[in-house]
Amino acid sequence: MSHSVFAIYKAPEDPAAFDKAYENHAAIAKKIPGLKELRYNKTLQQVTGEVPLYVVTELVFDSLEALQAGLGSPEGQATSADLATWGGDKLITTLIVERQA
């Protein structure tokens, strides 16, 4: 059963700047050990909810142990550190999930 990290980003003030910073951020994240897939999803239309959302990213791992090891690795720590350098840490909600089907 796979496990994922969902990173849900609120709409930024400057979408073009976010996109540029996120491109570099994703390149760093793709180096996390044990990462099987990085799924980048840009919001086209929000159907419900009051907080405008911009991007939902899913980082997929084979297991919870692989996820935890990946996030704790130097590459995982570099990804977290990068997020703070461009202000993404103020826009994000992060969830760890277990795939059910």
Side-chain angles (χ1 to χ4, degrees), residues 64-83:
L64 181 58
E65 294 77 20
L67 182 153
Q68 292 170 331
L71 295 183
S73 71
E75 295 86 353
Q77 296 300 311
T79 302
S80 294
D82 176 70
L83 188 63

Side-chain angles (χ1 to χ4, degrees), residues 2-3 30 32-38 59-63 66:
S2 67
H3 287 73
K30 287 177 182 177
I32 296 174
L35 180 68
K36 295 299 177 188
E37 186 176 0
L38 189 150
L59 291 86
V60 181
F61 296 83
D62 283 337
S63 66

Side-chain angles (χ1 to χ4, degrees), residues 24 26-27 29 33 36 38-39 42 50 54 59-60 89 93 97:
N24 181 62
K36 295 299 177 188
L38 189 150
R39 299 175 182 158
K42 203 169 218 182
E50 295 181 21
Y54 188 64
L59 291 86
V60 181
D89 60 334
T93 296
V97 302

